[in-house]
Amino acid sequence: MSTYSEWNNSIIEYFISRTPMGSKIYLSLNDDVLELIGNSWEIEPSHQSWTQNFCEAVKNRVVMGDRIDLESISYVENDYPKYVAFLGLMVLAATQMADDEEINQTNYFRRLREIIGLPLDGQTRPRGLRITSEGEAPEVNLWKRWNQWLVKCGFTPTAEEGKGPSRYINYPISQTLLRNADRDRLIELFSEKQWRAYWDEQTLFTKVANEYHKLSKHLKKLIDDRQRYEAVAEAIHNTYEQWLSNGSVKKQAGYRLGRQWKRQLYAGLYRTEDFLGNIEYYLHPKQQKGRLLNSLEIIRNGETYPLKEDRVGWYLPVGTPLTAKEISEGRVYSVNPNIQVNNLVLPNKDFWILVPDPDNPASGVYASWGAPKLGEPFIILFKDFIFSDLQRLRDENLIQWEGDRETKYEVFSGSNWYEIHNCQILSQRWDAVFVQSPELKNALQPTTKLSISCSGGLKIPKINSWIKDYPPQITVFAFHPTVELNVSLSNTSIFKQSCPSNTAIRIEFPSSGNFLVQASCQGQSAQRLVKLVDWESIDLRSKEVIS
C-alpha cells in the first residue's frame, strides 16, 4: 500500500507543479485527483479504489486508538509540510457531502469520521480535534501554516476561517470546488446538451452558467462566487475533458466516470510588436497542472515543432506567426507521439484578453497568461461585433482604454479583428449590466477587490527575487481610496500604516530576506512575498538579471 508520505508529497506536487507563480491554490482533493495520482504510480491499489487507499494511509498515520494525533504530522521534511495529506482528507470529507446536506459541524464531522474510520462517541468533534482551552480548533494551526508555506513558495492561499458555528470547518469547505454531486449533475448536463466541441475554460463556464436553472444547489453557489471563478472554471473543464475521454457517455445508475488525464493540450496567444508597430501572434501552449509531459512535437501546416518549457505553466511559443484564419476559426493540431495527449487545441473564440509579461512587464510582450489584475493594463483582441459590448462597458464606467470610445486598431489587414490598448478595470459593480456576450463579461468582471503589485527595482525573474539594494515599490490596487498595509520579516513588522490605494509606496527594507506584504480593505485581504537577495548570493553565470 502507498504510504502516507508518498500521498502527502504527491498531493503537494499535483497542486503546485506547473502552476504559475501567484496562482490561487485550492486544496480541492477529490476522487478524481486521488485516482490520477494513484494511477501515475503504475501499480494496483491495495483497496477497491485509490480513494480508499488514501484514506487508509492517512488513518494509519494519524489515528491512535480513538483519537487523531496531529503531532505525528506537524513538521516539515525535505521542504514539504507533512500535514497536507491530512488537510486534504478534511477537504475530501466536505467534497463527499450530498448537495442537499446542510453544512454544519455535526454533518461535516460525521462524514470525516466515516472516511477515517472513527466511531461516533456522543461528541461532534473526534478526540484530538476538539476545541482547546484557548478556544481554537487544533487543526487551525496546520491550515495557517499551509497558507504561510504557499505564500513562501510564491502562491496565493485560499483557505480561510468562517464565521459563527462554521468558523473552523470553513477551512476545508473553502477548499471544496466541485462535490461529487456537482460532477454527476455536470455529466448529465453535458449528455443532455450533446456538447462535443473543444472549448476552453472560459467558454465552457459561460455555457454551463447559461444552464443555471438545471444546476445543483452547491454548483449554483460556485457559479455566483466571483472569487473562485478561475478555479471553478478549471474544475468544470476537467470534468468535461474526462467525460469526452470516456466517450461522452450518458450517466446511468452505477456509472462511474473513469479518471484520466486530459487528452488535449490547450493553447493561448502570445503577442509581439516590433519598433515599427508590426504585430504578430503565436501559439502559446499551456502545460497541464500536476503532469510532466516530455518530448512532444506539434504538427502544424506540415511542419513539426518541439514543445519546450518556458515559464512555469507554459511552453515556449510555437512555430511561425498565426494567420487571421487560424485565430478566427480555431485549430486542432496533432501531437506526436500521441501516447499521452492527442492534440493541441487553439480554441475558437470571439475575443482574447492579453496581459503583460508578469516577469518583465516592460518587455512589451502580452499573452493570455490569465485574467487581468486590478491596476494592470491589458490588451483585448476581438472580433468586430464584440466592440458594441466593450463600448457599453465603457459607457457604464466599468472599463476604459486608450483613446475615446470609438478608438480601436485593426489587426491583420482586411480582417474583422481589432485591438484596444491600455485597458483598465474601473469598478466592481457589474451585476446590473447586460451585454450580448456573457463570456466577455465573465472574463472582465474582477474576481478580487484587492491586488498587490511590485514595480521597479532590480529583479531576477528566474528566482522571483529582487536585489536587496534595489527593492521594488509596493502598490495596492483597490476600489477604495485607502488600504491598510503591513510588511513583516519573520513575524516582525517593519512597515505598518494606512496608505493611499493605487499609489506606489517606497518601503525601507532593512536587509535581505523573505518579506510578507499584507494589505486589507473593507473586509478583503491580499498578501504576497517579496524576496530580497544579496549580490553575493546570485550566480551571474547561470541567472539572468533584468531590471
Side-chain angles (χ1 to χ4, degrees):
M1 184 180 76
S2 303
T3 66
Y4 176 91
S5 292
E6 289 172 330
W7 277 112
N8 186 82
N9 293 350
S10 295
I11 289 168
I12 294 173
E13 289 168 3
Y14 174 84
F15 285 107
I16 70 170
S17 67
R18 286 155 193 83
T19 300
M21 292 292 181
S23 298
K24 292 181 179 180
I25 301 296
Y26 289 87
L27 191 62
S28 52
L29 198 66
N30 55 40
D31 295 340
D32 291 353
V33 174
L34 291 171
E35 188 155 340
L36 288 175
I37 292 173
N39 288 339
S40 69
W41 293 329
E42 298 182 350
I43 59 175
E44 291 296 320
S46 55
H47 292 74
Q48 186 176 357
S49 70
W50 283 113
T51 297
Q52 290 177 318
N53 184 293
F54 165 73
C55 293
E56 189 69 17
V58 176
K59 175 183 176 181
N60 291 342
R61 181 61 177 266
V62 303
V63 175
M64 303 296 175
D66 62 349
R67 68 187 301 273
I68 293 175
D69 177 22
L70 297 185
E71 290 297 322
S72 64
I73 55 172
S74 298
Y75 63 96
V76 174
E77 183 178 79
N78 297 326
D79 296 327
Y80 276 4
K82 302 304 290 185
Y83 45 79
V84 177
F86 174 74
L87 297 182
L89 184 88
M90 297 193 73
V91 178
L92 183 66
T95 300
Q96 294 184 353
M97 298 185 76
D99 183 58
D100 58 354
E101 192 171 1
E102 182 183 356
I103 298 294
N104 57 43
Q105 291 193 77
T106 301
N107 290 339
Y108 172 76
F109 282 107
R110 184 177 67 249
R111 287 279 180 177
L112 183 65
R113 287 175 183 270
E114 287 175 359
I115 65 176
I116 205 170
L118 284 175
L120 297 174
D121 58 7
Q123 298 290 323
T124 300
R125 284 175 164 266
R127 292 184 61 198
L129 295 185
R130 291 176 185 167
I131 305 298
T132 64
S133 57
E134 290 79 19
E136 187 167 82
E139 75 275 8
V140 169
N141 180 52
L142 299 184
W143 283 110
K144 290 179 177 179
R145 289 169 60 185
W146 168 239
N147 284 349
Q148 292 166 359
W149 187 83
L150 288 174
V151 171
K152 182 180 178 181
C153 293
F155 300 107
T156 302
T158 57
E160 59 184 5
E161 194 171 284
K163 297 179 180 179
S166 299
R167 176 182 176 185
Y168 297 131
I169 65 170
N170 194 68
Y171 278 104
I173 290 170
S174 70
Q175 301 302 282
T176 305
L177 296 175
L178 298 183
R179 297 185 191 173
N180 293 345
D182 300 328
R183 289 194 294 277
D184 290 345
R185 184 65 196 99
L186 285 171
I187 294 167
E188 292 174 0
L189 177 63
F190 301 154
S191 300
E192 291 170 9
K193 305 300 292 186
Q194 288 297 294
W195 289 336
R196 296 289 188 276
Y198 290 139
W199 291 314
D200 68 350
E201 295 168 2
Q202 288 180 347
T203 303
L204 180 62
F205 178 92
T206 302
K207 291 187 177 297
V208 170
N210 288 341
E211 305 294 329
Y212 190 85
H213 64 288
K214 297 181 179 180
L215 304 181
S216 60
K217 180 180 177 182
H218 180 253
L219 190 50
K220 288 179 179 178
K221 291 182 179 179
L222 292 176
I223 294 292
D224 293 336
D225 188 349
R226 287 301 303 170
Q227 292 192 26
R228 296 190 184 191
Y229 165 65
E230 291 179 281
V232 172
E234 179 185 8
I236 292 174
H237 195 262
N238 286 340
T239 301
Y240 181 67
E241 288 282 315
Q242 288 179 2
W243 176 72
L244 290 177
S245 298
N246 279 269
S248 310
V249 295
K250 186 174 182 179
K251 188 179 186 305
Q252 299 176 355
Y255 171 75
R256 181 170 174 267
L257 184 66
R259 278 80 178 191
Q260 303 180 38
W261 289 104
K262 293 181 180 181
R263 297 297 299 176
Q264 282 71 235
L265 293 174
Y266 282 78
L269 296 184
Y270 185 95
R271 178 190 186 274
T272 63
E273 182 175 4
D274 65 21
F275 67 95
L276 295 176
N278 298 312
I279 297 170
E280 292 180 328
Y281 283 96
Y282 294 84
L283 277 174
H284 196 21
K286 188 176 183 179
Q287 297 173 3
Q288 287 189 7
K289 184 176 74 173
R291 188 184 189 191
L292 177 62
L293 297 171
N294 291 319
S295 304
L296 297 181
E297 296 178 332
I298 304 301
I299 302 172
R300 174 172 170 248
N301 300 331
E303 298 291 331
T304 300
Y305 303 96
L307 278 186
K308 299 179 181 179
E309 288 200 24
D310 182 18
R311 66 196 67 220
V312 176
W314 296 88
Y315 296 100
L316 285 169
V318 171
T320 55
L322 291 164
T323 64
K325 185 177 179 64
E326 285 177 296
I327 296 178
S328 295
E329 299 176 357
R331 285 289 188 273
V332 178
Y333 305 98
S334 297
V335 173
N336 184 38
N338 62 356
I339 299 172
Q340 296 172 300
V341 293
N342 296 333
N343 307 301
L344 172 67
V345 178
L346 176 66
N348 180 357
K349 294 172 64 69
D350 297 326
F351 66 90
W352 291 87
I353 295 176
L354 308 163
V355 299
D357 187 340
D359 291 337
N360 188 13
S363 67
V365 172
Y366 287 75
S368 50
W369 283 307
K373 299 180 177 65
L374 290 184
E376 180 180 65
F378 56 96
I379 292 172
I380 303 178
L381 172 70
F382 58 93
K383 292 179 180 177
D384 194 27
F385 77 90
I386 291 290
F387 195 47
S388 60
D389 278 351
L390 292 169
Q391 290 176 312
R392 171 71 189 280
L393 296 175
R394 177 167 175 147
D395 292 343
E396 295 289 340
N397 292 317
L398 298 176
I399 65 171
Q400 68 177 8
W401 61 82
E402 177 182 283
D404 59 30
R405 71 187 301 275
E406 301 297 333
T407 300
K408 59 181 179 180
Y409 303 96
E410 185 181 29
V411 183
F412 306 114
S413 179
S415 76
N416 67 336
W417 284 96
Y418 293 85
E419 288 182 346
I420 52 177
H421 300 162
N422 288 319
C423 301
Q424 291 265 1
I425 305 295
L426 300 180
S427 172
Q428 58 184 322
R429 304 182 185 279
W430 289 62
D431 291 341
V433 177
F434 298 93
V435 293
Q436 291 182 335
S437 173
E439 184 182 345
L440 178 69
K441 180 181 176 181
N442 280 331
L444 289 175
Q445 186 174 354
T447 58
T448 61
K449 300 177 182 179
L450 210 59
S451 175
I452 300 174
S453 175
C454 295
S455 60
L458 188 59
K459 187 178 182 182
I460 308 109
K462 289 186 180 295
I463 59 173
N464 197 32
S465 302
W466 282 263
I467 296 297
K468 179 194 69 174
D469 298 326
Y470 302 94
Q473 292 182 311
I474 307 297
T475 304
V476 182
F477 291 101
F479 297 116
H480 194 265
T482 59
V483 296
E484 299 301 318
L485 181 62
N486 182 41
V487 182
S488 60
L489 176 65
S490 301
N491 296 320
T492 300
S493 180
I494 66 158
F495 181 96
K496 186 175 184 180
Q497 66 183 57
S498 179
C499 299
S501 62
N502 312 316
T503 303
I505 306 296
R506 188 178 299 277
I507 307 294
E508 294 295 331
F509 293 95
S511 64
S512 58
N514 296 331
F515 292 85
L516 181 62
V517 181
Q518 298 170 297
S520 60
C521 175
Q522 295 185 312
Q524 299 287 317
S525 62
Q527 57 185 340
R528 68 170 293 172
L529 200 69
V530 174
K531 298 182 180 181
L532 302 184
V533 297
D534 297 309
W535 281 110
E536 294 79 9
S537 64
I538 303 299
D539 184 355
L540 295 179
R541 294 169 298 179
S542 61
K543 300 297 182 183
E544 179 184 7
V545 179
I546 299 178
S547 60

